[in-house]
Amino acid sequence: MTHEVLLDATLESHYVILESYLKRLIVEDDAASTLRDELADGLLPLALLQRLCGTAVCEDNAAAIHALCDAGVVPSELSVDQRARSGRCRALSALVKRGLPPTYDLLEHSVINNNELLCRALMSARVDVKGAGPLLQRAARRNAVGVLQALVGDKSHSVDIDYVDGSTLNTALMVAVKHANVEAVAALVDAGADLTLKSHGETALQMARSNVNPHARMRGAAIGARQSAIVRLLETQTRIDQRRLLVDIALGLRALDLPVLQVLAIFHQASQLDFTPPQIVQWEIAKAVKLHRL
């Protein structure tokens, strides 16, 4: 055996032993500082670092991911195996923050695993959310509030909160109502979901009211209580929306230089239209203005 071959064999044996040792550090999870020290010299082959990165993903070790990236791993050059990444959201979040391309596939993965951390990392990285409406509805169905908030929280980059499913004609808000998910309903309302949209002639509020009838209560007291809470929540938000609209209408009417008594009469008429979609209120106001001008 030549000197060169012997040297190569020695180095290969050394790297096998070293890789085994570094993998143990990754598995231990609390050995991040030791791992970082071992990687500090920056002399390890890139192929070895990438294999270690795969181990870190499998172990869901975010600290190890950061240490490996600092040592030279380029996340955009990695190919994370579908099986290896199942449920590994902390490690994947770290990779996304370090430059792993945000993909719809990963976004779906975060929703399926109900992982807010990964979902927020992807949304911050401006993942393409075109066509992500079904993911929002899935989160609403599972009452995954953190994921819902991550998907619709940033108005400058969010999933369409009022996406309508082509087969059911439901929005995410309606899905949450039908499953008695109070927390999801509250999150969607806070994010600005449209309460006036209808599916088969019913708004989300009307659906909620239908679900608290005596027959629905037979499904259980807990479900009935949650549905009642949803009705109260949606009624309150509808009143708030209605009052905001009435204020806008009052200001608009004053701008028309109508007599004060006419403005008050029209405003009073509009205020009687409780729980009515804004479009109907506007139509009623326009009709009232026309009558008062005759």
Side-chain angles (χ1 to χ4, degrees), residues 245-267 285 289 293:
L245 179 62
L246 290 173
V247 170
D248 291 340
I249 288 171
L251 294 174
L253 289 173
R254 289 299 295 138
L256 294 174
D257 292 328
L258 293 173
V260 174
L261 289 178
Q262 288 187 7
V263 171
L264 291 175
I266 295 170
F267 186 79
I285 291 298
V289 169
R293 281 181 169 173

Side-chain angles (χ1 to χ4, degrees), residues 2 14 21 35 67 73 101 113 186 208 215:
T2 65
H14 168 73
Y21 166 64
L35 176 65
V73 170
N113 287 276
H215 176 70

Side-chain angles (χ1 to χ4, degrees), residues 170-171 173-178 185 189 193-199 201-213 227-242 273-277:
N170 287 332
T171 63
L173 179 61
M174 294 171 185
V175 170
V177 167
K178 288 184 175 182
V185 169
V189 168
D194 189 344
L195 275 62
T196 69
L197 295 178
K198 293 185 177 182
S199 174
E202 283 191 320
T203 63
L205 175 56
Q206 290 168 329
M207 290 178 183
R209 284 173 171 166
S210 299
N211 286 338
V212 293
N213 61 31
Q227 289 290 7
S228 295
I230 288 173
V231 169
R232 291 193 298 272
L233 190 157
L234 293 178
E235 286 181 344
T236 299
Q237 186 59 44
T238 301
R239 287 193 188 97
I240 292 172
D241 292 345
Q242 209 72 345
L273 301 172
D274 197 20
F275 306 131
T276 305

Side-chain angles (χ1 to χ4, degrees), residues 115-128:
N115 191 274
E116 179 184 353
L117 181 66
L118 177 56
C119 190
R120 288 193 181 279
L122 290 163
M123 295 300 289
S124 296
R126 290 300 194 260
V127 61
D128 185 3

Side-chain angles (χ1 to χ4, degrees), residues 45-59:
L46 181 58
L48 172 55
L49 293 174
Q50 289 176 334
R51 289 198 299 274
L52 291 173
C53 203
T55 301
V57 171
C58 289
E59 296 298 325

